[in-house]
Amino acid sequence: MPAPRRRLPSLVTGALLLGVTLLATGCAADAPLDIFQGDGSESQIINDLQIPVFGVAVIIGILVLAAIVFIVVKFRAKPDDDDLPPQTHGALGLELGWTLLPALILAFVAVGTVVTIFDLADAPDDALEVDVYGQQWWWGFEYDVDQDGTADIVTANEMVIPAGEPVVVNIRSRDVIHSFWIPALNGKKDAVPGRTHHLTIQADDPGIYRGQCTEFCGLSHARMQMRVVALERADYDAWIENQQRDAETPTDADAAAGLEIFQGQCVTCHQIDGVDEVEFAAQVSGAAPNLTHLMTRSTFAGGIFELYDEANEGDPYDLGGIPYNDLPEQGTFNRNQLEAWLRNPPAEKPMAPDPTEFSQYGRGMPNLNLTEQQIDLLVAYLETLK
Ligand code: CUA
């Protein structure tokens, strides 16, 4: 029987290759969605469970693999083997051992898991609350600052929170099932139509924490990203104050012309608070991000494009060293990308399988066939939304 001996080296080589591949893929430095690089009390609770469990699993995995290799080598069929090796079926010690030991290990994991689930569900009653809405294909965030039941701040793509304080996120969906996931701050939580799911997050340090929709929700699911921006308390208060401010009617001639185009083309989906001429937009808009303070965000189009060049240089976490609240004043506006978006959104972010049939499917932002001059004027207006 020569066949088994030829198979043995390929089995060992395969196992080695698999191990090396797993090690290589698991060691990416600074991966923004790395679940082991947490920075919050919730992610710490998760790591306190998953790191020991992962460690035990690795040890067991190595032992099992080593045992398999040892047994395959030691007991492989030899050319002159005719008889079966001694049979161990029914050996009481072995049977008890490999039944009880795994049961014991799993019992420990089960207890740890249940405790962790309850720990994660704990949220202080006075925690700050943010309503999160998943929508094809972006995330909306609403803040009821005066707690009167209506949102005072409506923003998109980026949820701003105070660092070092717990925040309860109320997760909802406006269409299909999405899943809210900021790996550095907590686990995943589905956004299910008709339901509200709660998740507590707390970022220990100021910073930008990347997230990604993790439930397949249509063509641009992978392009449905979000960020949590944790600011020092004073910066957070300043952000809250600015976000409650209405947009001003532009004085610059180009921006004023841009506002007129906005009124004609954009208000059926996008709202801008406080500009008298688009007040009626409150009646009809809401299908797309509220743009009142567009320029205070670091991204647009569902978090996939940077609004400022600094974020594309070097460390994506520190926005080129510019404080988040100072982006509109100090950042280098990524004008080309915003113009490309206005020129043909479905080309930048797929909305329908066949872009020419957009109206039939009606998802995301359509190509409005704006002229270059209209785009220039619109951008001049959007730039004033700080
Ligand atoms: Cu939303 Cu995937």
Side-chain angles (χ1 to χ4, degrees), residues 135 137 139 177-179 212-218 221-222 224:
Q135 194 158 333
W137 287 279
W139 292 93
I177 300 178
H178 305 272
S179 188
Q212 165 72 47
C213 178
T214 61
E215 182 71 38
F216 182 71
C217 54
H221 153 70
M224 185 169 169

Side-chain angles (χ1 to χ4, degrees), residues 26 33-39 43 46-47 50-52 54 183-184:
L33 301 182
D34 186 345
I35 56 167
F36 289 107
Q37 293 180 22
D39 189 31
S43 57
I46 294 174
N47 272 340
Q50 75 177 355
I51 289 177
F54 183 69

Side-chain angles (χ1 to χ4, degrees), residues 259-324:
L259 172 58
E260 270 181 44
I261 297 165
F262 189 91
Q263 288 173 261
Q265 301 271 7
C266 317
V267 287
T268 44
C269 296
H270 291 284
Q271 184 170 349
I272 290 176
D273 302 335
V275 179
D276 290 339
E277 294 85 339
V278 291
E279 198 58 49
F280 77 96
Q283 312 293 324
V284 294
S285 66
N290 182 308
L291 298 178
T292 310
H293 298 282
L294 171 71
M295 297 302 289
T296 66
R297 304 169 194 163
S298 62
T299 58
F300 68 99
I304 60 170
F305 297 123
E306 304 291 349
L307 200 50
Y308 293 96
D309 288 346
E310 282 78 5
N312 290 321
E313 302 160 3
D315 188 347
Y317 298 96
D318 78 351
L319 303 171
I322 299 176
Y324 186 72

Side-chain angles (χ1 to χ4, degrees), residues 14-260:
L16 279 175
L17 272 178
L18 181 68
V20 169
T21 311
L22 286 177
L23 272 178
T25 50
C27 294
D30 274 339
L33 301 182
D34 186 345
I35 56 167
F36 289 107
Q37 293 180 22
D39 189 31
S41 39
E42 276 66 33
S43 57
Q44 190 58 51
I45 292 172
I46 294 174
N47 272 340
D48 287 346
L49 175 71
Q50 75 177 355
I51 289 177
V53 170
F54 183 69
V56 171
V58 166
I59 292 169
I60 293 175
I62 289 171
L63 289 178
V64 169
L65 269 177
I68 289 174
V69 170
F70 172 77
I71 290 167
V72 164
V73 172
K74 183 165 169 63
F75 298 108
R76 70 186 186 279
K78 299 179 182 71
D80 51 352
D81 270 354
D82 288 328
D83 303 327
L84 285 170
Q87 298 298 292
T88 56
H89 178 75
L92 189 64
L94 281 177
E95 300 273 359
L96 278 177
W98 62 51
T99 304
L100 289 181
L101 193 62
L104 208 64
I105 293 171
L106 288 178
F108 272 109
V109 173
V111 170
T113 303
V114 171
V115 170
T116 300
I117 287 171
F118 277 91
D119 281 354
L120 288 174
D122 261 353
D125 292 335
D126 57 348
L128 169 73
E129 288 191 41
V130 180
D131 292 336
V132 172
Y133 293 89
Q135 194 158 333
Q136 287 168 321
W137 287 279
W138 54 282
W139 292 93
F141 302 101
E142 301 193 0
Y143 297 65
D144 181 6
V145 179
D146 54 16
Q147 305 204 326
D148 66 349
T150 56
D152 304 301
I153 295 170
V154 180
T155 183
N157 307 336
E158 292 163 24
M159 178 165 81
V160 177
I161 63 170
E165 297 179 34
V167 178
V168 172
V169 190
N170 305 315
I171 301 167
R172 305 186 179 100
S173 168
R174 290 205 175 101
D175 39 43
V176 301
I177 300 178
H178 305 272
S179 188
F180 186 80
W181 186 45
I182 310 286
L185 301 182
N186 204 333
K188 302 169 181 178
K189 190 72 94 172
D190 278 4
V192 178
R195 294 184 63 93
T196 302
H197 291 161
H198 307 282
L199 188 72
T200 307
I201 57 172
Q202 178 174 326
D204 289 342
D205 302 306
I208 294 178
Y209 303 94
R210 305 280 189 110
Q212 165 72 47
C213 178
T214 61
E215 182 71 38
F216 182 71
C217 54
L219 207 56
S220 274
H221 153 70
R223 294 176 181 81
M224 185 169 169
Q225 301 175 3
M226 64 289 205
R227 294 172 182 189
V228 166
V229 180
L231 301 177
E232 300 283 9
R233 184 73 210 195
D235 295 333
Y236 172 76
D237 289 340
W239 181 85
I240 286 282
E241 197 180 328
N242 183 57
Q243 297 290 310
Q244 289 179 276
R245 208 172 41 80
D246 282 344
E248 284 157 24
T249 308
T251 47
D252 172 77
D254 280 0
L259 172 58
E260 270 181 44

